[in-house]
């Protein structure tokens, strides 16, 4: 329903911003907290894109040019990244709780930045790789039509390819 989506989206935006502000306090500098901030930022971007999809004119020229090679792939990459990042956070928590010696040894051997990237980088890399076909699922087409004044006009649109 288009009436409730904006409200839910705005609540999601506000909740993510509040989570980022709270988690970014000085005393919270662990890999877990960095992963949660990254997840909140990705979710913030994803909800913003969904809200733009709801309110934007999908027949506008700008949207038509952005959709096949930017908007649609970005939306799918962010959605996949959120999923993989949640799995990464769960894995990190599992290791910290069930295998504390292995987890601590990894933290001692590597810098906090390397330790954090161990959990964040694979999720972004995997989400990009998995969504490469999204860039090839649509193509631009030109359609010509004659208006009521007998003038031939050109319309740019996109179509779904056989890959999809």
């Amino acid at each position: 329903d288009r009436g409730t989506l904006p409200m839910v989206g705005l609540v999601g935006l506000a909740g993510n911003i509040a989570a980022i502000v709270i988690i970014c306090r000085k005393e919270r500098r662990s890999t877990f907290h960095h992963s949660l901030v990254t997840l909140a930022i990705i979710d913030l971007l994803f909800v913003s894109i969904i809200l733009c999809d709801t309110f934007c004119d999908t027949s506008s020229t700008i949207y038509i040019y952005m959709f096949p090679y930017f908007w649609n792939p970005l939306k799918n990459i962010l959605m996949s990244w959120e999923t993989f990042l949640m799995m990464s956070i769960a894995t990190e928590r599992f290791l910290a709780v069930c295998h504390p010696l292995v987890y601590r040894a990894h933290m001692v051997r590597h810098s906090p930045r390397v330790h954090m990237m161990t959990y964040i980088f694979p999720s972004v890399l995997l989400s990009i790789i998995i969504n490469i076909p999204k860039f090839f699922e649509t193509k631009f087409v030109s359609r010509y039509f004659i208006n009521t004044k007998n003038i031939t006009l050109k319309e740019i649109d996109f179509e779904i390819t056989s890959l999809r």
Side-chain angles (χ1 to χ4, degrees), residues 14-78:
N16 283 315
I17 291 170
I20 292 168
V21 168
I22 291 169
I23 294 172
C24 282
R25 291 187 181 155
K26 235 179 191 176
E27 65 268 8
R28 300 189 175 162
R29 295 285 179 192
S30 70
T31 304
F32 175 67
H33 292 106
H34 288 293
S35 297
L36 286 179
V37 168
T38 305
L39 181 62
I41 291 169
I42 300 307
D43 192 48
L44 194 69
L45 291 172
F46 183 69
V47 170
S48 299
I49 285 177
I50 297 300
L51 285 174
C52 285
D53 270 351
T54 304
F55 292 118
C56 287
D57 178 21
T58 57
S59 62
S60 74
T61 307
I62 294 171
Y63 186 85
I64 290 170
Y65 277 117
M66 285 178 51
F67 184 82
Y69 303 115
F70 176 74
W71 202 255
N72 188 42
L74 179 65
K75 188 173 19 175
N76 286 283
I77 287 169
L78 289 174

Side-chain angles (χ1 to χ4, degrees), residues 103-120:
Y103 180 77
R104 182 74 179 147
H106 189 269
M107 284 184 66
V108 170
R109 267 187 268 133
H110 302 288
S111 71
R113 178 167 280 149
V114 170
H115 186 70
M116 180 181 68
M117 293 312 288
T118 302
Y119 293 100
I120 294 175

Side-chain angles (χ1 to χ4, degrees), residues 75-124:
K75 188 173 19 175
N76 286 283
I77 287 169
L78 289 174
M79 186 172 57
S80 300
W81 192 5
E82 271 191 279
T83 304
F84 293 137
L85 201 51
M86 283 187 260
M87 292 169 36
S88 175
I89 292 169
T91 302
E92 192 255 351
R93 289 289 87 196
F94 172 78
L95 290 174
V97 172
C98 296
H99 301 286
L101 298 176
V102 173
Y103 180 77
R104 182 74 179 147
H106 189 269
M107 284 184 66
V108 170
R109 267 187 268 133
H110 302 288
S111 71
R113 178 167 280 149
V114 170
H115 186 70
M116 180 181 68
M117 293 312 288
T118 302
Y119 293 100
I120 294 175
F121 185 69
S123 61
V124 69

